[in-house]
Amino acid sequence: QLQLVESGGGLVQPGGSLRLSCAASGSIFSISMGWYRQAPGAQRELVARIFSDSNTYYADSVKGRFTISRDNAKKTVYLQMNSLESDDTAVYYCNVVPPTTDYWGKGTLVTVSS
């Protein structure tokens, strides 16, 4: 059982950057981890994934702007978000891939607005 705590969200202007962190309560060494987001009125979607070998996957909507990384020693997964757009406004969550219902945390809100 993992507890995942997201942080780093906030209000940022279009074109700005944020770095999100996801701290896990246990080892994530051999686990594929992902960042998901849910915009108002929309379904939750996977935006970035990092495999246990550190290979990555990105949704087309964030490719070239977002970078996912992991520090297994710190049991933390990061999401560097650059060139943010208004469509990136959402609550961001981390979870394993595929997601486990019991692992969803409270998420961190990212608002992109001028």
Side-chain angles (χ1 to χ4, degrees):
Q1 185 85 4
L2 277 180
Q3 290 184 330
L4 302 170
V5 179
E6 303 91 349
S7 62
L11 173 63
V12 62
Q13 292 185 342
S17 298
L18 282 175
R19 189 193 196 204
L20 307 184
S21 298
C22 169
S25 61
S27 174
I28 58 170
F29 179 75
S30 61
I31 300 174
S32 181
M33 298 293 298
W35 279 98
Y36 302 78
R37 70 184 180 188
Q38 187 167 20
Q43 289 190 330
R44 197 170 300 183
E45 62 173 345
L46 176 67
V47 297
R49 175 179 185 176
I50 186 163
F51 296 84
S52 57
D53 62 0
S54 292
N55 282 325
T56 56
Y57 156 86
Y58 297 95
D60 287 345
S61 58
V62 307
K63 199 173 295 182
R65 301 188 297 119
F66 289 11
T67 303
I68 188 171
S69 60
R70 64 194 298 158
D71 186 330
N72 291 330
K74 293 184 178 179
K75 297 180 288 186
T76 301
V77 180
Y78 304 98
L79 186 68
Q80 177 66 43
M81 306 187 296
N82 299 328
S83 302
L84 283 161
E85 305 168 353
S86 57
D87 286 349
D88 296 319
T89 294
V91 179
Y92 285 72
Y93 304 85
C94 66
N95 204 323
V96 299
V97 182
T100 296
T101 300
D102 290 348
Y103 291 176
W104 290 116
K106 295 182 179 180
T108 186
L109 176 62
V110 172
T111 303
V112 184
S113 176
S114 55

